[in-house]
Amino acid sequence: MIGKIMASTSIVTLAALIALLATLASCGRVARSDEPTYTSYRLPTAFKPEHYDLQVLTHLGDDRGYAFSGRVLIKMTCLEDANNVTLHSKNLTLGEKDIKLVQISDAGSEPVELKQIQYIKDNDYVVFYSAKSLQKGKRYEISIPFEGSLGTGLLGYYRSSYFDQQRKTKVWLSVTQFEPTYAREAFPCFDEPEMKATFDISLGHHKQYVALSNMPVNRSEPMASAHKDWVMDYFDRTVPMSTYLVAYSVNDFEYREAMIKMKGDVVFKIWARRDAIDQVDYAREVGPRVTRYYEEYFAEKFPLPKIDMIAIPDFSAGAMENWGLITYRETALLYHPNISTVSNKHRVASVIAHELAHQWFGNLVTMRWWTDLWLNEGFATYVASLGVEHLHPEWHSYEDESVSNSLNVFKLDALTTSHPVSVEIGHPNQISQIFDAISYDKGSTVIRMMHLFLGEDTFRDGVRLYLKRHKYANAEQNDLWAALTEKAHENGALPDDVNVKTVMESWTLQTGYPVVKVTRNYESNSAELTQVRFLSNREQATNASDYCWWVPLTYTTAESPNFVETNAKDWMMCGSNDLRKARSRQLNSEQFNTISLINRAALIDDAMDLAWSQEQEYGIAFAMINYLRQETEYLPWKSALGNLGVLNRLLKRTPIYEVFRSYIQFIIEPIYDRLDIFNVEHYVSARLDSSKQRSMIASWACVFDVSDCTERSVGLFANWMAVKDPDTTNPIPQDIRGVVYCTAIRNGKEAEWNFLWARYQQSNVGSEKVLLIQSLTCSRETWLLQRFLHWSLNSTSGVRKQDTTILFANVAKNDIGFHLAKSFFLENTEQIYAYLTPDTSRLSRYLRPLAEHMASEKELQELKDLIESKRTRLPNRDTVPSKNRTLARHKPLQLVQLVPGGNLPGQHLHVAGEP
């Protein structure tokens, strides 16, 4: 699933706050005194499901309102003697009088009397007690009628809506979102990933709609007279799969079949609103091509007869990999060539590639338990980068995504509050909180490292072996390590005394990563290497030396620089005094571009991190960054500006901010002039990295008043306002529209704001609507921002529920909006909680942007007080994600050598608190 947190790369270490949050984790509901206490939140192991017959009737605004009802029949095998059947069920009303339990065999069926039904809400359990013992080795089936509300909470089985421009009416649809633990809110089931079974699904609905599920429709029949004009669609039986991958939808969408035919008669369709069906063409191309690439790469055919991909107007995640029916936010599936940016196109390709990778990694082979969620998400993230590179080698996206994933995770993983890639799960409500940058980005990054030191052949062969051994079943990371080790030893990719498990568990079971220190001995022409865990706050590094990682070592020389070879020439091994010596010669070249792009980006990030942790002076880091005045490539700039953005937030409210502004202008001006950003000729067939670079440089240039950036942006926006039909004619280049819009709104008044809001209301492209929301939050008019914040909680305002947190986060990022956003959250916590219910975990997305912009002990205390006062309304764990650097160290940050000859004596930044 894409639902991450992908955007934030900055970090906060709030030790006191995290300690306070930890107390929330122990808060839970207590079972009634007459209910037994289960010692585990895992289901009992007495029964294993074999098959589900699931029938669901969906009411979309008829005389029953918005509701669903149905019956599930579960066939199961008894693995040990038991006196009850325990299932998951949440927020459902069960027809208790009609529940039936029978023992089945070849000779027939025998009813089993139920003596008691018990609900254990803290575990989401319903327990069916039998009057006689249920025997090991016997087969049983239980039939349960159920009904529930078709709410708007974006979880379980819920409803969404949109306004049909052609018919001038509001149209409803229903759709599922079951990962990780929400199938239990749609039907009683064994809602754990290891409990795989086959499914026969049938969906009843009014004939004006179409029904979709994991498999193709087998037949459709009119329903009885009690449901006039209704039909029941019966779908083919699924392959064995986990409940979180079950999916169905009732809608009136249209579809377009893929342009490229799949081998093996796999039918590929893209579904969307009728008004947006013209935006599916790119997905029609990408889907089959990347699926075919995976079939060849994994040496495993896609096992279903069809793939449907559907764009949902209201969707909490980015996308969800349901087997055969993949659901997406509109922004992640739809692309309009005349409106969407190249970056939007890249996101669509990446998300589609990610979800299709899951069809093998996650669906075909599934983790046993959510501890190994990273096997799903990390692998899908990494393999998706291979898929996109295969589709569009001209984008150079593999390098971009590799750097992005590394930068995203380095900041987070340098905190004591980070967690391992493979993390233990206690209460199920913790599962959704590990869909984070560690599972996705660090998971992807360590897999990339493994791919590089094993080599292409070994990596590919090992993955193929793993999938072949465990298809339609469950696995854990040890199973993957075993397959890769077998192939690594066969191919000679690893020494016989080194195995993948030993190497990789040092990266997946430990928190953090090492800083490797090299001590040169010029007399012996050698280097001594030592490692210690890197922490952004050295004062917390009390046990950093207890950590040890297996590090593959490569090196290059000045005489023959080679930054491409990645096979390990040596290893830093744990258990050998954490010390290795490697022959090397001094790397010394006057030509910066002899160092590869990824390495230049990494060197900048390392320099800034080491300065942040006070292991070197900031002067050294800035002296390195000065070279950017010569740099023309995107990735080093991305690394540098990502780090400088953290300092920008810290310094903007200090007396020395003008010095920092001057430095940014100093390094930005050459690249701004060189790129000639407002020349429309540059945007014809632009490379992806070039497009991203222009947008990024333009954004910084306009914020820091470099050259004519603000003037040109305001002028372009004025030209747009003057055209006769602004909804069809836009003179602003697509890839810098966000910069131009934001700059014009920041420097404009109500007229500019109202003009852009009108464009938002008329827009039919999801990615454009998000861009317009972000741009509208750039205003410096407090009353406009205040009104916009209140609109985010008004379902009739035009702002979709899925976008409320995007709106809030961008207001909080605004210098003027930060205090407005903080006050808004303080005053409206209860309303926000009610509006987001049942997905109240999204409350953390309100605290994250506030934490990002804290810069004083006073603000830290305000946030502590807020959490204490709202503890019953905040998620139980990691309410403020530690992904944001906000507070400087206890020691002052010295800004030296910001500009040539610009030592700044006495100019220190004193900010209390922790980073």
Side-chain angles (χ1 to χ4, degrees):
M1 179 173 69
I2 292 278
K4 45 179 191 169
I5 337 170
M6 292 169 130
S8 179
T9 60
S10 53
I11 307 229
V12 67
T13 303
L14 306 174
L17 177 58
I18 296 301
L20 189 155
L21 289 172
T23 64
L24 296 176
S26 62
C27 297
R29 290 176 289 180
V30 179
R32 297 200 311 264
S33 59
D34 61 337
E35 296 177 348
T37 301
Y38 275 66
T39 57
S40 172
Y41 290 100
R42 298 290 303 275
L43 282 172
T45 57
F47 286 91
K48 177 178 176 56
E50 298 175 359
H51 177 74
Y52 291 78
D53 281 322
L54 175 62
Q55 185 178 92
V56 182
L57 276 64
T58 301
H59 301 270
L60 287 170
D62 56 21
D63 57 354
R64 289 281 306 275
Y66 300 94
F68 61 90
S69 60
R71 178 181 291 271
V72 63
L73 185 148
I74 310 174
K75 296 179 180 180
M76 52 200 172
T77 301
C78 187
L79 303 180
E80 55 191 65
D81 291 347
N83 67 352
N84 71 76
V85 176
T86 302
L87 300 175
H88 285 114
S89 179
K90 184 178 181 180
N91 299 330
L92 296 173
T93 300
L94 307 187
E96 294 187 359
K97 293 182 180 180
D98 295 319
I99 295 173
K100 294 180 175 61
L101 176 65
V102 300
Q103 180 180 328
I104 55 176
S105 65
D106 293 340
S109 61
E110 177 185 345
V112 178
E113 180 186 352
L114 292 176
K115 66 177 183 180
Q116 182 186 1
I117 299 175
Q118 183 182 38
Y119 299 90
I120 304 179
K121 293 183 178 180
D122 198 38
N123 300 59
D124 299 338
Y125 287 168
V126 56
V127 186
F128 304 95
Y129 290 95
S130 58
K132 67 175 186 179
S133 176
L134 306 173
Q135 299 176 354
K136 178 181 179 180
K138 302 294 185 181
R139 297 174 65 237
Y140 297 85
E141 64 180 29
I142 187 168
S143 175
I144 309 167
F146 60 87
E147 60 183 33
S149 174
L150 203 62
T152 58
L154 310 185
L155 297 176
Y157 190 34
Y158 70 94
R159 74 182 193 267
S160 174
S161 68
Y162 65 94
F163 186 80
D164 188 297
Q165 296 287 351
Q166 297 177 17
R167 291 175 287 179
K168 304 300 181 184
T169 185
K170 187 176 185 178
V171 182
W172 289 96
L173 64 136
S174 65
V175 69
T176 56
Q177 171 56 39
F178 288 166
E179 189 181 30
T181 57
Y182 304 117
R184 64 192 65 176
E185 298 192 29
F187 60 97
C189 56
F190 294 90
D191 198 15
E192 293 188 1
E194 195 171 5
M195 299 287 198
K196 286 191 171 184
T198 55
F199 290 80
D200 284 339
I201 296 173
S202 53
L203 301 176
H205 57 88
H206 193 279
K207 67 180 183 181
Q208 73 186 81
Y209 298 106
V210 65
L212 300 174
S213 189
N214 305 85
M215 300 295 288
V217 173
N218 180 284
R219 68 187 190 279
S220 184
E221 299 176 354
M223 293 185 64
S225 57
H227 291 85
K228 183 181 179 181
D229 293 330
W230 278 51
V231 295
M232 181 70 73
D233 290 331
Y234 297 87
F235 295 84
D236 288 344
R237 180 166 296 185
T238 72
V239 296
M241 64 183 192
S242 306
T243 50
Y244 79 87
L245 294 171
V246 172
Y248 40 90
S249 172
V250 174
N251 60 72
D252 76 335
F253 284 5
E254 291 187 353
Y255 73 86
R256 295 289 183 269
E257 197 165 326
M259 304 175 186
I260 302 171
K261 296 296 183 182
M262 290 290 299
K263 296 178 181 178
D265 298 323
V266 176
V267 178
F268 215 117
K269 296 178 181 177
I270 317 298
W271 297 76
R273 295 179 288 112
R274 298 170 189 270
D275 293 339
I277 199 65
D278 61 337
Q279 301 172 39
V280 304
D281 284 349
Y282 181 61
R284 292 168 65 199
E285 174 191 349
V286 170
R289 287 182 61 196
V290 78
T291 301
R292 191 160 56 194
Y293 169 74
Y294 290 151
E295 286 183 327
E296 294 172 358
Y297 195 88
F298 297 137
E300 190 72 49
K301 295 290 293 181
F302 180 76
L304 306 186
K306 65 93 173 177
I307 300 176
D308 288 316
M309 303 199 301
I310 182 170
I312 307 299
D314 295 291
F315 199 67
S316 61
M320 178 62 210
E321 66 267 21
N322 315 299
W323 219 347
L325 177 57
I326 308 173
T327 46
Y328 295 81
R329 274 196 187 197
E330 290 192 346
T331 55
L333 184 64
L334 306 182
Y335 169 78
H336 195 298
N338 296 327
I339 297 175
S340 306
T341 66
V342 177
S343 294
N344 295 147
K345 189 175 187 179
H346 176 229
R347 171 162 171 75
V348 169
S350 294
V351 177
I352 291 175
H354 181 105
E355 303 309 323
L356 288 172
H358 273 310
Q359 308 300 299
W360 286 265
F361 260 92
N363 299 10
L364 186 67
V365 180
T366 310
M367 72 261 156
R368 293 187 188 279
W369 181 239
W370 299 101
T371 291
D372 285 323
L373 169 71
W374 83 276
L375 276 184
N376 279 17
E377 301 301 347
F379 238 99
T381 300
Y382 180 65
V383 171
S385 68
L386 301 179
V388 176
E389 184 75 6
H390 170 77
L391 290 174
H392 292 286
E394 75 278 7
W395 283 357
H396 304 280
S397 59
Y398 178 76
E399 289 183 340
D400 183 6
E401 293 187 31
S402 298
V403 170
S404 296
N405 291 337
S406 299
L407 297 183
N408 284 351
V409 79
F410 277 157
K411 306 299 186 288
L412 169 60
D413 217 23
L415 304 174
T416 58
T417 51
S418 184
H419 64 79
V421 171
S422 182
V423 59
E424 290 298 324
I425 297 295
H427 194 288
N429 66 14
Q430 296 175 353
I431 297 171
S432 62
Q433 296 164 43
I434 61 170
F435 284 82
D436 63 3
I438 296 296
S439 295
Y440 286 77
D441 296 336
K442 186 176 182 181
S444 172
T445 300
V446 298
I447 290 167
R448 175 177 177 270
M449 176 185 72
M450 180 177 68
H451 188 179
L452 293 176
F453 74 68
L454 289 177
E456 170 62 23
D457 292 344
T458 297
F459 177 79
R460 185 190 60 242
D461 293 347
V463 168
R464 288 176 174 179
L465 179 61
Y466 167 79
L467 292 172
K468 182 179 180 180
R469 282 178 175 170
H470 302 286
K471 63 181 179 180
Y472 301 117
N474 298 79
E476 53 194 11
Q477 65 176 14
N478 284 343
D479 298 313
L480 178 60
W481 305 152
L484 287 163
T485 298
E486 186 174 325
K487 292 300 179 180
H489 289 161
E490 282 182 14
N491 298 342
L494 285 179
D496 291 341
D497 59 342
V498 176
N499 61 69
V500 175
K501 174 182 170 67
T502 301
V503 173
M504 294 304 294
E505 283 191 347
S506 72
W507 295 93
T508 64
L509 301 184
Q510 290 187 118
T511 303
Y513 57 90
V515 55
V516 177
K517 297 185 178 181
V518 182
T519 303
R520 291 293 307 272
N521 186 326
Y522 292 94
E523 293 181 0
S524 62
N525 194 29
S526 65
E528 183 177 81
L529 278 65
T530 59
Q531 63 168 274
V532 66
R533 181 185 175 188
F534 177 78
L535 289 169
S536 57
N537 186 348
R538 288 195 303 172
E539 296 176 8
Q540 297 179 339
T542 55
N543 64 338
S545 60
D546 295 342
Y547 292 79
C548 180
W549 289 264
W550 280 64
V551 181
L553 300 176
T554 59
Y555 53 88
T556 189
T557 66
E559 289 78 6
S560 180
N562 182 353
F563 290 88
V564 178
E565 183 179 354
T566 59
N567 291 332
K569 296 180 179 178
D570 207 338
W571 288 87
M572 288 190 76
M573 299 181 182
C574 299
S576 59
N577 298 322
D578 189 21
L579 182 64
R580 296 289 289 178
K581 288 188 177 181
R583 282 287 188 187
S584 67
R585 295 186 178 183
Q586 184 178 6
L587 172 62
N588 183 13
S589 173
E590 295 180 357
Q591 300 297 320
F592 70 88
N593 54 12
T594 61
I595 302 175
S596 68
L597 265 181
I598 291 181
N599 279 274
R600 298 207 298 273
L603 285 171
I604 292 170
D605 192 61
D606 290 346
M608 294 297 285
D609 277 346
L610 291 171
W612 180 268
S613 64
Q614 296 185 330
E615 295 189 40
Q616 71 178 23
E617 294 292 333
Y618 261 102
I620 298 174
F622 282 116
M624 176 181 290
I625 289 180
N626 282 344
Y627 102 92
L628 287 171
R629 286 175 58 85
Q630 308 173 69
E631 180 63 78
T632 60
E633 298 291 343
Y634 167 62
L635 293 180
W637 274 105
K638 178 177 182 176
S639 175
L641 295 180
N643 281 280
L644 290 170
V646 177
L647 297 182
N648 180 52
R649 291 200 301 271
L650 285 173
L651 296 172
K652 67 175 56 176
R653 285 178 276 167
T654 69
I656 61 171
Y657 188 55
E658 185 56 35
V659 178
F660 181 77
R661 284 179 57 84
S662 297
Y663 176 69
I664 297 298
Q665 292 168 345
F666 169 73
I667 64 169
I668 288 284
E669 188 170 16
I671 188 70
Y672 173 80
D673 291 339
R674 187 181 300 119
L675 291 177
D676 194 12
I677 285 168
F678 291 92
N679 187 337
V680 295
E681 294 180 1
H682 292 316
Y683 295 92
V684 178
S685 302
R687 276 176 36 173
L688 174 67
D689 53 352
S690 298
S691 173
K692 288 185 173 183
Q693 185 182 34
R694 292 178 192 282
S695 176
M696 179 179 66
I697 296 299
S699 178
W700 279 73
C702 284
V703 168
F704 286 88
D705 293 323
V706 172
S707 188
D708 60 354
C709 187
T710 298
E711 179 184 351
R712 297 285 295 273
S713 295
V714 171
L716 273 174
F717 194 85
N719 291 342
W720 186 29
M721 291 181 68
V723 302
K724 184 177 180 180
D725 186 359
D727 293 315
T728 58
T729 303
N730 188 335
I732 304 169
Q734 288 171 234
D735 293 335
I736 58 168
R737 284 177 182 174
V739 176
V740 171
Y741 296 171
C742 182
T743 303
I745 295 296
R746 184 168 59 243
N747 291 276
K749 299 294 182 181
E750 183 182 2
E752 288 78 8
W753 201 98
N754 287 341
F755 172 82
L756 203 62
W757 175 248
R759 306 289 71 73
Y760 173 86
Q761 293 175 303
Q762 293 298 316
S763 174
N764 188 42
V765 179
S767 58
E768 183 183 42
K769 293 180 81 73
V770 170
L771 179 66
L772 292 169
I773 284 179
Q774 294 169 332
S775 301
L776 287 164
T777 65
C778 296
S779 176
R780 291 176 177 171
E781 296 289 326
T782 57
W783 71 273
L784 287 173
L785 294 175
Q786 194 76 267
R787 184 181 68 180
F788 207 23
L789 285 168
H790 284 280
W791 283 359
S792 71
L793 300 182
N794 183 345
S795 60
T796 65
S797 69
V799 178
R800 288 197 172 274
K801 181 180 289 190
Q802 66 182 13
D803 297 328
T804 57
T805 53
I806 294 175
L807 190 159
F808 179 87
N810 280 274
V811 171
K813 186 169 66 174
N814 182 333
D815 293 347
I816 302 297
F818 173 71
H819 295 288
L820 297 176
K822 184 168 65 174
S823 298
F824 175 79
F825 185 74
L826 283 167
E827 295 166 5
N828 296 280
T829 307
E830 293 294 333
Q831 185 180 352
I832 294 170
Y833 181 87
Y835 191 65
L836 295 181
T837 299
D839 189 12
T840 54
S841 65
R842 291 200 296 158
L843 273 169
S844 64
R845 301 183 195 178
Y846 283 80
L847 290 183
R848 181 183 298 119
L850 297 180
E852 282 182 342
H853 295 274
M854 293 190 309
S856 69
E857 186 71 37
K858 178 183 177 183
E859 289 173 339
L860 171 61
Q861 188 59 48
E862 287 177 350
L863 200 55
K864 286 182 179 179
D865 294 342
L866 165 64
I867 292 173
E868 182 62 32
S869 65
K870 307 296 184 182
R871 57 188 299 129
T872 61
R873 287 294 183 248
L874 295 178
N876 285 343
R877 180 178 175 267
D878 292 344
T879 302
V880 179
S882 53
K883 297 178 66 177
N884 315 308
R885 286 186 177 181
T886 61
L887 302 180
R889 254 161 273 16
H890 295 299
K891 295 181 180 180
L893 169 65
Q894 296 189 15
L895 297 183
V896 295
Q897 296 178 345
L898 288 183
V899 292
N903 291 342
L904 306 172
Q907 302 236 23
H908 297 163
L909 170 65
H910 295 269
V911 185
E914 299 173 352

